[in-house]
Amino acid sequence: MYQKKAPCTIILATVNILVFLVLSFMGMTEDAEFMLEHGAMYTPDIIYAGKYYELFTCMFLHFGFTHLMNNMLALTLMGWQLEQELGKIKFLLLYLLSGLAGNLLSLAVGMRTSEYYVSAGASGAIFGIIGGLFYIAVRNHGRIGNISGKRILFLMAVTLYHGFTSGGVDNSAHIGGAAAGIVLAFILYRKNRRRLEQEIQEEVW
């Protein structure tokens, strides 16, 4: 039974919403040029102008209300679960590093294809959460709380499929984020004592 709070999840969602509200008062969040001026990621900016901060700032920007709400719903529901498993600091590390990994893969793909787009959104980090949940579910006999590993994998596959069949979606960031989430969960996750005792009892009986 999960009764713990998830302060980092709430703080991250709040920061994303506040940033969106501030930018909405300043201009059009669906306008690529406006978003680029306020921290969205653009490959030539990073390569030629050294604006490396965009790899981080773009994680807190969203193109319009629907983009924001879809990501914040996913962050709140899945982040709450993962933060309880990892703890505050490890969860925050996984979230931020997964987002950066997704953006770095997006940057690498952009450099290789010479196709440049203005990118923004928390979805790379959120895919990191999904990847982390999947790894932990596998470690815990196919489940994490009330969620099965198969269900998480299905969610990841459907979301990626939707991205590849839709326009304007940074699929590289999603793939990079998910892969990083799995790797980081492998490094950071440790089963808590209560769960270990439960497994030992199950094996004994």
Side-chain angles (χ1 to χ4, degrees):
M1 191 73 156
Y2 291 93
Q3 297 178 341
K4 297 179 183 177
K5 296 180 180 179
C8 287
T9 299
I10 299 304
I11 290 170
L12 286 169
T14 302
V15 169
N16 275 281
I17 292 169
L18 287 175
V19 168
F20 178 80
L21 289 175
V22 169
L23 290 181
S24 294
F25 281 111
M26 295 171 61
M28 291 291 294
T29 58
E30 295 183 6
D31 179 69
E33 187 174 344
F34 172 77
M35 294 292 279
L36 186 59
E37 290 174 358
H38 292 87
M41 189 178 95
Y42 187 54
T43 298
D45 270 1
I46 297 171
I47 298 171
Y48 303 115
K51 295 183 179 181
Y52 302 110
Y53 61 85
E54 291 181 355
L55 290 165
F56 178 79
T57 55
C58 72
M59 294 164 53
F60 296 92
L61 305 178
H62 290 85
F63 288 110
F65 182 77
T66 301
H67 186 206
L68 172 74
M69 284 299 100
N70 287 341
N71 276 350
M72 292 308 98
L73 180 62
L75 169 59
T76 303
L77 293 177
M78 292 182 288
W80 195 283
Q81 186 82 55
L82 184 62
E83 187 173 346
Q84 292 178 41
E85 292 290 336
L86 289 180
K88 296 187 287 292
I89 302 302
K90 290 181 179 180
F91 168 77
L92 196 57
L93 277 173
L94 183 142
Y95 180 89
L96 294 175
L97 292 178
S98 294
L100 287 173
N103 290 336
L104 285 170
L105 182 60
S106 177
L107 176 69
V109 170
M111 291 171 64
R112 182 179 179 84
T113 61
S114 296
E115 294 181 356
Y116 304 137
Y117 305 98
V118 177
S119 300
S123 53
I126 291 168
F127 265 85
I129 292 176
I130 298 173
L133 286 173
F134 174 71
Y135 171 78
I136 294 172
V138 171
R139 280 285 306 276
N140 291 290
H141 309 294
R143 300 196 70 82
I144 175 170
N146 296 320
I147 309 172
S148 70
K150 290 181 180 178
R151 194 170 174 183
I152 296 168
L153 187 60
F154 177 74
L155 172 64
M156 191 187 303
V158 168
T159 310
L160 285 172
Y161 174 78
H162 178 263
F164 278 106
T165 55
S166 304
V169 178
D170 192 345
N171 296 295
S172 301
H174 294 175
I175 294 170
I182 293 171
V183 173
L184 288 164
F186 171 77
I187 295 169
L188 298 172
Y189 177 66
R190 299 291 181 273
K191 291 185 180 182
N192 60 46
R193 184 177 297 177
R194 189 173 181 182
R195 178 166 283 153
L196 283 170
E197 288 174 353
Q198 272 184 341
E199 291 184 2
I200 290 170
Q201 289 175 357
E202 288 171 1
E203 289 173 2
V204 170
W205 289 102

